[in-house]
Amino acid sequence: MKLREQLLGKARRIVVKLGTGLLTDAQNQLARSQITQLVGQLSAARHDGREVLVVSSGAIAAGMSALGLATRPKELAQLQACAAVGQCRLMAIYDDAFASSGVHVAQVLLTHDDLRNRARHLNARRTLDTLLRRGVVPIINENDTVSVDEIKFGDNDRLSALTAALVDADLLVVLSHVEGLYKIWGDAKDQRKLQVIPVVEGITPDIEAMAGGTDRLTSVGGMRSKIEAARIVTRAGIPMVIASGEHLNVLADVLAGKEIGTIFLPGAKKLAGRKRWIAFFQRTAGALRVDGGARDALCTGGKSLLAKGVVGAEGDFSVGDAVSVQDASGVEFARGLTKVASNELKTAAGVVVHRDDLVIL
Ligand code: GLU
């Protein structure tokens, strides 16, 4: 059996991210027929016995058109007002479209803070699990109306990756206008050609550079954030596919393992729920720099970080805070929860980050 069929055919719990461009027309109006078409595919996957979660953008654009704004406002309160108006229009269309195939939907609006706090994180997971068990399709978006920088996910590519990590999905499918991750060649702009890369085995600097290239050529803003999303899910142990949502049956084709779009292969080991929470849902309060011996002990020996291996620190952190663990040149290779506050590091002895609280990235 081909690799894609093997990985995707058995995917039971799937997160599908739908980008604004796919859900709206040139006037920023919600593209009802396109949404209905996509919902048809999602319902089919649901009726096929899969658990389906949708991460949907489009609220701000829908709100702009409803309020008669031709250009995207700059002021935060204006954007938040647009999101508030647009979100319920968006949900009305989803509710209608899913209802016609007998599927219930649930609106779930999240801020980063909701998933950073351990108790709220577990609670959100339980709620989503309950909805899925009842056959409901949760439609998730950032709670834009109350989100400010400190509590923001940032973008929905990232939110979809975190959702997949939260619910321990088997697959994340990111649908937008792009066909996948493009390789670009040729030098003069008009002679450049695009080729979709079918499989990405790891997020290397080369892959990152391709995301940059795609931005310039096709003015697709979002490839960088899609690569960041891929970094999160693949490390969590979940495959991700980027494909064009303009193709009819794209979801069925992806799930059948057809060579469509780009697949990012998952890392070898699945990360457990608490380790995911440490690695992806925290904002680091500072950094610990460690020497080569400590780096080896953590990466290959599976050991805890001891005070004697710490050669420097940055930031102001307290016991229990998430910190970035970096090599001596400042490159992050792990994250963990510190047992020692920054102002006590100089005199500390013994364990600074216990291996149970440490994730190698
Ligand atoms: N939450 C935004 C909206 O619904 C979209 C953010 C994004 O697409 O990254 O308009």
Side-chain angles (χ1 to χ4, degrees):
M1 199 194 272
K2 292 212 194 96
L3 181 68
R4 278 201 188 217
E5 279 172 50
Q6 220 171 22
L7 269 174
L8 309 183
K10 62 178 169 25
R12 210 179 102 71
R13 182 172 282 196
I14 60 174
V15 176
V16 180
K17 189 257 169 171
L18 304 174
T20 297
L22 210 51
L23 304 172
T24 51
D25 61 20
Q27 285 74 46
N28 283 336
Q29 309 258 14
L30 287 170
R32 189 180 282 269
S33 59
Q34 167 85 332
I35 299 177
T36 307
Q37 187 273 114
L38 288 162
V39 166
Q41 298 190 46
L42 295 160
S43 303
R46 176 70 213 91
H47 287 308
D48 214 24
R50 319 225 187 213
E51 294 177 330
V52 179
L53 299 98
V54 177
V55 173
S56 176
S57 304
I60 293 176
M64 280 168 52
S65 80
L67 296 177
L69 302 173
T71 52
R72 193 178 162 94
K74 293 208 164 44
E75 199 201 325
L76 182 63
Q78 295 283 344
L79 284 169
Q80 293 181 315
C82 287
V85 172
Q87 180 65 27
C88 58
R89 296 202 163 201
L90 189 61
M91 281 312 296
I93 296 184
Y94 278 122
D95 199 27
D96 236 35
F98 273 102
S100 66
S101 50
V103 176
H104 290 300
V105 296
Q107 170 178 263
V108 179
L109 298 176
L110 295 169
T111 66
H112 189 265
D113 246 19
D114 299 322
L115 301 186
R116 183 165 59 165
N117 174 288
R118 185 74 181 146
R120 284 157 71 190
H121 179 103
L122 294 174
N123 200 51
R125 195 166 79 188
R126 271 195 297 272
T127 306
L128 289 169
D129 275 343
T130 305
L131 289 167
L132 294 172
R133 264 203 309 277
R134 292 188 161 270
V136 177
V137 172
I139 310 226
I140 301 165
N141 197 357
E142 176 140 23
N143 193 352
D144 291 311
T145 303
V146 297
S147 279
V148 288
D149 277 351
E150 301 75 50
I151 59 166
K152 238 182 178 338
F153 291 104
D155 62 77
N156 275 10
D157 290 323
R158 187 179 167 76
L159 174 59
S160 67
L162 294 176
T163 301
L166 174 72
V167 301
D168 195 11
D170 301 312
L171 173 66
L172 169 62
V173 183
V174 175
L175 297 180
S176 67
H177 282 315
V178 290
E179 299 284 345
L181 176 63
Y182 295 117
K183 185 172 179 173
I184 300 169
W185 76 94
D187 38 25
K189 205 175 173 187
D190 52 355
Q191 284 170 5
R192 281 185 164 184
K193 296 201 170 71
L194 298 174
Q195 180 190 25
V196 171
I197 300 178
V199 183
V200 174
E201 290 182 19
I203 317 285
T204 59
D206 278 358
I207 296 294
E208 281 170 346
M210 284 174 203
T214 309
D215 281 352
R216 283 196 303 277
L217 189 76
T218 62
S219 67
V220 172
M223 197 44 81
R224 241 178 262 277
S225 60
K226 288 178 182 48
I227 296 292
E228 280 316 307
R231 196 191 295 284
I232 293 171
V233 280
T234 55
R235 179 62 190 96
I238 302 166
M240 167 170 148
V241 174
I242 297 178
S244 169
E246 288 173 350
H247 296 302
L248 299 176
N249 285 329
V250 61
L251 190 57
D253 287 348
V254 166
L255 292 170
K258 291 201 183 150
E259 294 286 319
I260 181 171
T262 302
I263 183 166
F264 294 77
L265 299 181
K269 264 175 63 184
K270 267 208 157 200
L271 270 188
R274 185 166 172 281
K275 292 249 170 161
R276 291 179 183 191
W277 173 71
I278 292 171
F280 311 127
F281 292 90
Q282 302 302 308
R283 290 228 158 90
T284 53
L288 294 167
R289 298 252 163 95
V290 307
D291 62 23
R295 187 184 193 289
D296 286 349
L298 302 186
C299 291
T300 52
K303 299 278 196 296
S304 297
L305 175 62
L306 303 179
K308 62 177 195 234
V310 178
V311 294
E314 250 170 47
D316 187 10
F317 47 85
S318 316
V319 175
D321 278 352
V323 289
S324 162
V325 182
Q326 307 176 345
D327 66 15
S329 55
V331 176
E332 180 179 59
F333 66 91
R335 282 192 182 186
L337 305 180
T338 179
K339 291 203 177 303
V340 181
S342 47
N343 60 3
E344 285 168 351
L345 264 180
K346 284 215 160 61
T347 54
V351 173
V352 178
V353 181
H354 191 274
R355 61 187 191 157
D356 291 348
D357 297 334
L358 185 84
V359 187
I360 308 296
L361 297 172

